[in-house]
Amino acid sequence: EHHFYLPTNTSHNTMGICRDSRHKRRETGGRRQSIHKKRKFEMGRQPAMTKIGPKKVQVIRGRGGNSKFRAQRLETGNFSWGTEVCTRKVRILDVNYNASNNELVRTKTLVKGAIILIDAHPFKAWYESHYGRSIGLKKGLKSEIPDKKVSDRVTRKISLRQKAPKIDPALDDQFVGGRLYAKITSRPGQSGRCDGYVLEGKELEFYKRQMAKK
């Protein structure tokens, strides 16, 4: 005598997230006939929804044995200050704007293209040692850089650097608060990293206007 049991969980019948376009309607609105079943290479996965917190990265095996690094939480990243050609590892403090979805700002989700706040101190320390002058000073305060004993060669170097124009006032205002606006250019859910660049110039003005609207 044989007993047959029907499976209670039928989730294996549907593959879940699929990246094909066969199931979509035509541009004119007509239904499209699917000529074959779902394929493994058309498979999609759940979004990473990377949050700010102690680093947690999951390694995922992909097609062809390749690896993806799914960051679930990140708190630091490499950010570049373009005009000064300076890159530093800095802390990620907050998510401020996302052109695609406000919900990703509310939930503080790190995705490519998001505008975030980063810690300005590593950049400030580099600038002051490189140019020998203070930035991000509040009104009425004098330079806080202590006089160090350096060689004549280093003194000449710094005096030459000081002839370069000072930084943009909009950026200097951010240094006062110790936070800088930056844009994420890496894909945290794919590479497991959160890297990007500091916003400045017209791009900074544009995103400030966008944030003011919201």
Side-chain angles (χ1 to χ4, degrees):
E1 195 178 332
H2 297 285
H3 297 279
F4 296 100
Y5 297 97
L6 286 170
T8 52
N9 182 14
T10 56
S11 62
H12 66 280
N13 297 332
T14 54
M15 204 171 74
I17 300 168
C18 208
R19 290 166 42 253
D20 71 306
S21 57
R22 284 175 293 103
H23 69 280
K24 299 210 170 214
R25 285 175 178 262
R26 292 188 174 90
E27 268 189 41
T28 52
R31 296 289 294 272
R32 193 181 281 155
Q33 191 70 29
S34 182
I35 57 165
H36 62 73
K37 290 184 178 180
K38 295 176 180 179
R39 298 288 189 253
K40 183 80 166 32
F41 57 77
E42 293 168 346
M43 182 185 79
R45 295 185 183 87
Q46 294 290 340
M49 305 300 277
T50 310
K51 300 286 185 275
I52 300 170
K55 186 179 176 181
K56 184 185 179 185
V57 178
Q58 184 185 359
V59 181
I60 289 171
R61 184 194 181 276
R63 185 171 163 86
N66 295 306
S67 295
K68 285 189 175 189
F69 301 94
R70 186 80 80 239
Q72 289 167 351
R73 290 194 306 267
L74 289 172
E75 58 184 353
T76 57
N78 289 338
F79 286 85
S80 174
W81 184 0
T83 52
E84 295 296 339
V85 197
C86 168
T87 302
R88 288 290 177 272
K89 183 180 177 179
V90 294
R91 278 190 313 122
I92 299 161
L93 305 173
D94 200 4
V95 179
N96 276 60
Y97 177 75
N98 193 311
S100 63
N101 192 348
N102 278 339
E103 192 67 9
L104 298 175
V105 179
R106 192 185 66 79
T107 54
K108 300 191 190 304
T109 306
L110 301 172
V111 291
K112 183 177 176 175
I115 305 302
I116 60 171
L117 272 177
I118 58 171
D119 182 22
H121 290 102
F123 290 113
K124 188 177 180 180
W126 171 83
Y127 187 93
E128 289 176 351
S129 69
H130 188 75
Y131 287 98
R133 63 184 175 211
S134 290
I135 53 168
L137 287 174
K138 288 179 183 174
K139 283 182 182 176
L141 288 177
K142 289 185 179 178
S143 176
E144 302 163 356
I145 299 175
D147 291 329
K148 282 184 183 176
K149 235 188 172 186
V150 290
S151 66
D152 292 344
R153 184 167 168 272
V154 172
T155 309
R156 285 197 302 275
K157 246 189 199 178
I158 289 172
S159 63
L160 273 171
R161 286 172 188 162
Q162 284 177 346
K163 289 176 184 175
K166 290 188 177 180
I167 64 166
D168 181 16
L171 209 57
D172 198 32
D173 290 343
Q174 288 182 62
F175 275 109
V176 175
R179 294 170 167 216
L180 296 173
Y181 284 120
K183 187 174 186 176
I184 300 173
T185 52
S186 68
R187 299 171 71 195
Q190 306 288 324
S191 63
R193 301 177 64 86
C194 186
D195 302 335
Y197 61 90
V198 174
L199 291 178
E200 44 191 334
K202 290 196 172 175
E203 195 176 11
L204 176 61
E205 286 170 25
F206 170 77
Y207 281 114
K208 274 189 169 179
R209 283 198 304 273
Q210 295 298 101
M211 284 184 266
K213 282 181 194 174
K214 298 198 175 186

